[in-house]
Amino acid sequence: MPQRSLAPPVRRARRGLMLAAASALAVGAVAAAPTAQAQEEEPSDLITNGDFADGTTGWWTTENLTGSVADGEWCVDVPGGTLNPWDAILGQDGLPLAAGESYELQFTARASADVSVRALVQQPVDPWLTAMEEFPAFTAEPQQFSYTFTAAADWEAAQLAFQIGRNASPWQFCLSEVALLTDAEPPVYDPDTGPRVRVNQVSYLPDGPKRATLVTDAEDAVPWQLHDAAGTVVAEGDSTPYGDEPTSGESVHVIDFSSVSAAGEGFTLTADGETSYPFAIGTDAYGDLAVDALSFYYPQRSGIAIDDAIAPGYGREAGHVDVAPNRGDGAVTCYGGACDYTLDVTGGWYDAGDHGKYVVNGGISVAQLMAIYERALYAPTGDADRLGDGSLRVPEHGDGVPDVLDEARWEVEFLMSMQVPAGEELAGMAHHKIHDENWTGLPLMPADDPEERFLEPPSTAATLNLAAAAAQAARLFEPYDPDFAAEALEAAETAWAAAIANPEVYAVDRGAGGGPYGDDDVTDEFYWAAAELFLTTGAKTYEDFVLASEHHEADSFSDGGFWWGSVAQLAKLDLATVPNALPQRDALVAQVVAGADVYLAEQDASPWDLGYGADGTFEWGSTSVVLNRLVVIGAAFDLTGERHYKDGVFAGLDYVLGRNALGNSYVTGYGSHYSKNQHSRWYANQLDPASPNPPAGTLSGGPNSMTGTWDPIAQRWLSGCAPQSCYIDDIGSWATNELTINWNASLAQVASFAADQTGGVRTAPSCQVEYRINGQWPGGFNAQVLVKNTGDVPLNAVSLRWALPTGQSIVQSWSAEVSLDGHMVTASSLAGGAALKPGKTFSFGFIGAKDARTAVLPGAVTCSAS
């Protein structure tokens, strides 16, 4: 459901969080009104017959509810087998609300079984605007509940509704002492921001940047101490005052302890009378984070039962496999009868917390996952072994394919299935999305979704996403499954031709059942698709399109990070980092590095090391924007080897992992205080204790200051927030706390970069490698590799590894044993296995086969020796 709004943002820079939300509280006295006259008046109760002294007068129910009143309590029998909360409702209409006035809803309730329901004060007509939405949890014992809210508009006749459906078994709901009182004290949300010493709650590197942010009104420097787990002082110093910082609305200092090289768990920082959450200094955490961020996708799969043995705690039935009550996805037709065919679109990933599957968001998500593997092939610090078969929590272990590619294939095959069949109007284009006819409620497991599913009309944007992602898949799967690679390339080229023939077919949004993902500028998608097709085929048609694109020489980086609606950066990142023969490729490298410099400069200027939001605007999915900028900074490190770019990635991760205004890690399971109630229909523990929270490694969308995109929870509680504080860890806040496949792709990409810096095989420092292409001819080339020992001691058992560029293979070799496994070449037994003496050089060579393109040098060549 998530999308990036193009509406002008509302920008505010007020200090701190001025107004926010309270969760369910015990009923207490209503605060007196601020004037003497008001103090003498009793609040008015807008509810009719809230004590049920007159039976159920003034109340109504849906037809499936029956019950009776006894001793001031109304008990109704709720049938089982309902799937949505609104399948069973009781309520009262005609409640007048005044804009700017605050109200308190009070009631007592119990249930025959432990259940949660949805309590609403809303308009009783479509689009069902909401003034209050809560999810009280009931037990057999009567409980008192109290919720306060402030009306945003004048409503002459609002509705109080208890939506009590969505349970498989029958149960009884009992309600008493209901009141909606005027003149309530406005609700105040006081989030738990933890200690004022804000740190990366997960881990710093022993040889990396280590900074913290202290929230304090102190104008002068204050002393700080770093303690290890035993309480021993490891380091100490003085903070650097920064002053008022607008994105947080706080006055802050910076604590820099980068000189500390000690390693271990349980370190804490103490300053200004506060002690931070504990954190590690070490190299282990980022490998775990990379695995968790990528393993997030398996439980998001549609069309397959999730095995609890693989994903403990997340096992469930297959969703949308044409088993009742599901009504898809094996033979899905177009909404409104717009086509006379059906498509089998089983599979793919559920996009977010809903059951929709969207090609434009799926395209960027799977591209970023495949980019993780492609970086591992070609970057100097890449580690393809870390991503090998058996590395993730997926069911395809043992197939010989890197797990990240297995996971990517699940989505690529879905994207390909969304293609309009040959012979049909718009053949070769991709349907924009597939989702339910209507929105469903929370919680709802995928297998329980009763809605009919429809294909939404094809769009040029979706078609080009298919072309780009399938082209990338074709080159990466070639060594593992040539037939699938050929199928993917055919789908990509068919999609490209269809997009060229239909360049301005834009997404249609019917406003129900799924997010729009509209995009009326697809010039960047054309550029991206052409780039991926060029990298895979080397064809001049795609090369010419890339070079002629308006995006090729334009500055694609200064306006912000990439996202599903702006993908030119994706094209440039791949063209700059994946070996290819594009003319003037150095200019693209320079663009990427210059873009990284822009982001790094903003990050360096922030006391949070936050390279985002300096203009006061935090967008929907802001954490993903932060991370995608770090992807660019990481690429600059791969291209230049300059240390400050690598340090910039690690410093930038601090914000996501807890060094922020709320003291919150936006990654589930990481840190002392982390997001865990992301908006989801099946990770719905906040609503149903039997449901799990999202799995470890799930990213929350994070602060969103764009009020025009806010959900009712955000509208109710976050008014007046400083940008970094426009967030609430509530399952109802999709605008600040959703999970999505594209946002987790950003986390996975950065976490994988971080993991590669903290482990894996590294080139021996005295081993210098020169790789030459001495000649080439149609269909082949001659390569020579020279290895020199620049050190003072002999190198034994010298071996080399590198990834062979797309379109190349090895025919025969000499002076070394050269083998190819997947993409990776290994050269061993150089000079018959003799030691390489100081100052001496070994040389070996091979004859390679190639396609029609010019043979190019590989990426990094790793040299190992003993």
Side-chain angles (χ1 to χ4, degrees):
M1 184 173 68
Q3 65 165 330
R4 295 269 293 263
S5 172
L6 302 181
V10 177
R11 297 176 180 171
R12 301 183 179 181
R14 298 169 66 180
R15 179 161 180 175
L17 192 60
M18 304 299 293
L19 189 63
S23 54
L25 304 173
V27 173
V30 176
T35 66
Q37 179 181 359
Q39 288 176 348
E40 297 173 358
E41 298 176 355
E42 290 293 326
S44 299
D45 185 0
L46 303 182
I47 295 294
T48 299
N49 190 31
D51 59 1
F52 302 104
D54 193 16
T56 59
T57 299
W59 294 87
W60 57 267
T61 71
T62 49
E63 293 181 357
N64 57 350
L65 297 179
T66 59
S68 60
V69 173
D71 299 324
E73 184 181 52
W74 182 21
C75 291
V76 296
D77 294 322
V78 186
T82 56
L83 292 171
N84 295 302
W86 50 83
D87 290 342
I89 312 174
L90 60 85
Q92 187 167 132
D93 293 336
L95 309 176
L97 302 182
E101 295 298 319
S102 295
Y103 302 85
E104 181 182 10
L105 174 66
Q106 299 178 353
F107 61 91
T108 299
R110 62 183 177 92
S112 60
D114 291 351
V115 296
S116 63
V117 305
R118 191 179 184 212
L120 296 154
V121 177
Q122 63 178 11
Q123 286 189 319
V125 295
D126 199 4
W128 313 100
L129 298 177
T130 302
M132 187 212 79
E133 179 183 33
E134 292 289 350
F135 298 91
F138 303 145
T139 65
E141 295 298 320
Q143 298 178 79
Q144 295 178 310
F145 296 87
S146 172
Y147 302 106
T148 56
F149 64 94
T150 301
D154 291 329
W155 291 352
E156 293 183 0
Q159 177 187 85
L160 169 64
F162 292 94
Q163 296 183 352
I164 56 178
R166 192 210 54 81
N167 285 278
S169 302
W171 61 288
Q172 188 178 67
F173 172 51
C174 295
L175 182 67
S176 61
E177 300 175 317
V178 186
L180 182 60
L181 303 176
T182 63
D183 299 315
E185 185 174 339
V188 174
Y189 174 49
D190 186 17
D192 177 11
T193 57
R196 288 186 290 106
V197 183
R198 308 286 160 74
V199 296
N200 178 329
Q201 297 172 24
V202 178
S203 183
Y204 296 92
L205 292 189
D207 63 346
K210 290 179 277 292
R211 289 185 285 271
T213 305
L214 171 66
V215 177
T216 179
D217 291 326
E219 296 183 359
D220 298 325
V222 299
W224 58 263
Q225 289 185 328
L226 175 68
H227 298 86
D228 63 17
T232 303
V233 175
V234 176
E236 54 191 341
D238 292 324
S239 66
T240 301
Y242 180 92
D244 290 339
E245 196 284 315
T247 69
S248 61
E250 303 284 5
S251 177
V252 300
H253 293 198
V254 175
I255 296 172
D256 191 334
F257 56 109
S258 300
S259 61
V260 174
S261 59
E265 304 281 339
F267 288 95
T268 56
L269 268 174
T270 298
D272 201 29
E274 295 270 324
T275 297
S276 73
Y277 287 129
F279 54 87
I281 300 177
T283 60
D284 296 338
Y286 292 105
D288 294 340
L289 178 58
V291 169
D292 286 344
L294 284 169
S295 297
F296 159 88
Y297 289 90
Y298 172 54
Q300 286 291 121
R301 290 189 190 184
S302 176
I304 185 175
I306 303 305
D307 188 341
D308 199 72
I310 298 172
Y314 296 93
R316 59 171 173 81
E317 298 176 73
H320 300 96
V321 288
D322 304 315
V323 175
N326 282 172
R327 302 169 71 183
D329 291 344
V332 183
T333 192
C334 300
Y335 183 77
C339 63
D340 59 2
Y341 56 84
T342 63
L343 295 180
D344 180 354
V345 292
T346 305
W349 298 321
Y350 294 118
D351 179 72
D354 60 320
H355 299 137
K357 298 185 289 190
Y358 308 91
V359 172
V360 293
N361 211 39
I364 188 173
S365 303
V366 75
Q368 287 189 257
L369 261 64
M370 290 188 288
I372 291 170
Y373 183 68
E374 204 150 31
R375 182 195 172 275
L377 295 178
Y378 301 121
T381 58
D383 184 3
D385 291 342
R386 190 180 56 78
L387 300 168
D389 185 15
S391 59
L392 303 179
R393 295 187 292 276
V394 297
E396 290 86 2
H397 289 184
D399 64 356
V401 178
D403 283 355
V404 65
L405 293 186
D406 280 325
E407 191 57 73
R409 182 170 180 164
W410 193 262
E411 180 69 6
V412 171
E413 289 183 332
F414 160 72
L415 299 180
M416 292 163 58
S417 75
M418 292 286 281
Q419 203 159 24
V420 177
E424 301 289 346
E425 184 181 3
L426 301 179
M429 296 196 74
H431 285 273
H432 197 71
K433 51 185 179 170
I434 179 255
H435 57 67
D436 292 348
E437 182 174 15
N438 301 292
W439 285 114
T440 56
L442 282 72
L444 184 67
M445 296 296 285
D448 295 334
D449 177 14
E451 286 288 323
E452 190 167 2
R453 312 265 281 177
F454 291 101
L455 300 170
E456 300 299 326
S459 71
T460 306
T463 304
L464 292 167
N465 269 263
L466 166 59
Q472 189 177 12
R475 65 178 180 264
L476 294 177
F477 276 93
E478 174 62 30
Y480 302 107
D481 189 339
D483 291 340
F484 174 66
E487 182 185 355
L489 182 57
E490 181 181 5
E493 296 203 291
T494 300
W496 174 262
I500 290 291
N502 302 278
E504 296 180 344
V505 178
Y506 301 124
V508 175
D509 177 33
R510 59 183 175 84
Y517 285 103
D519 187 356
D520 59 4
D521 178 4
V522 294
T523 58
D524 54 314
E525 279 84 0
F526 270 109
Y527 180 58
W528 177 35
E532 298 300 340
L533 282 160
F534 166 71
L535 289 171
T536 299
T537 68
K540 195 170 189 320
T541 299
Y542 305 122
E543 176 184 313
D544 290 345
F545 195 98
V546 166
L547 295 174
S549 170
E550 66 189 74
H551 292 281
H552 190 61
E553 296 184 1
D555 178 9
S556 303
F557 294 91
S558 62
D559 289 341
F562 58 88
W563 54 289
W564 61 260
S566 180
V567 293
Q569 284 191 25
L570 287 179
K572 293 183 176 182
L573 288 168
D574 282 358
L575 289 168
T577 58
V578 176
N580 67 87
L582 187 72
Q584 301 179 340
R585 184 173 168 227
D586 288 348
L588 277 178
V589 171
Q591 283 191 46
V592 172
V593 174
D597 288 339
V598 170
Y599 299 154
L600 200 54
E602 184 173 348
Q603 182 173 305
D604 289 344
S606 166
W608 306 96
D609 278 299
L610 173 60
Y612 172 75
D615 63 354
T617 301
F618 279 56
E619 302 156 88
W620 195 335
S622 62
T623 55
S624 174
V625 183
V626 171
L627 289 163
N628 282 344
R629 292 186 175 199
L630 296 181
V631 169
V632 176
I633 295 172
F637 173 70
D638 292 339
L639 294 166
T640 68
E642 295 180 15
R643 175 64 185 258
H644 68 282
Y645 293 117
K646 182 176 82 168
D647 286 349
V649 173
F650 282 97
L653 267 171
D654 288 355
Y655 168 82
V656 176
L657 297 175
R659 187 181 160 206
N660 53 57
L662 294 177
N664 181 65
S665 169
Y666 292 107
V667 181
T668 304
Y670 282 81
S672 297
H673 188 278
Y674 53 79
S675 302
K676 61 182 181 180
N677 294 310
Q678 288 94 319
H679 181 79
S680 171
R681 280 161 177 74
W682 59 101
Y683 307 134
N685 180 265
Q686 183 179 343
L687 305 182
D688 180 1
S691 298
N693 291 114
T698 300
L699 182 71
S700 166
N704 175 4
S705 66
M706 301 177 71
T707 57
T709 69
W710 279 3
D711 53 75
I713 296 293
Q715 291 170 2
R716 179 181 173 195
W717 304 124
L718 299 181
S719 176
C721 56
Q724 276 199 52
S725 296
C726 295
Y727 169 80
I728 183 169
D729 185 22
D730 188 292
I731 197 169
S733 185
W734 64 78
T736 76
N737 199 39
E738 193 159 20
L739 58 85
T740 73
I741 56 174
N742 60 314
W743 298 344
N744 239 75
S746 307
L747 175 65
Q749 206 168 358
V750 176
S752 293
F753 173 92
D756 278 351
Q757 312 314 309
T758 59
V761 177
R762 294 290 177 264
T763 293
S766 59
C767 190
Q768 183 182 84
V769 179
E770 182 182 357
Y771 190 111
R772 299 174 180 173
I773 295 178
N774 291 331
Q776 50 188 299
W777 54 91
F781 65 98
N782 176 294
Q784 182 184 16
V785 183
L786 296 90
V787 186
K788 182 177 181 180
N789 183 350
T790 61
D792 300 324
V793 297
L795 296 176
N796 296 299
V798 175
S799 66
L800 305 182
R801 291 192 78 204
W802 69 93
L804 205 61
T806 300
Q808 299 180 16
S809 61
I810 293 175
V811 177
Q812 65 182 67
S813 63
W814 56 89
S815 300
E817 294 181 5
V818 180
S819 61
L820 181 63
D821 182 12
H823 291 272
M824 299 303 299
V825 179
T826 300
S828 59
S829 297
L830 278 66
L836 180 57
K837 296 179 180 180
K840 299 299 182 179
T841 299
F842 283 159
S843 174
F844 69 94
F846 63 90
I847 298 296
K850 69 179 186 68
D851 57 19
R853 79 188 85 183
T854 300
V856 296
L857 298 174
V861 180
T862 300
C863 174
S864 61
S866 59

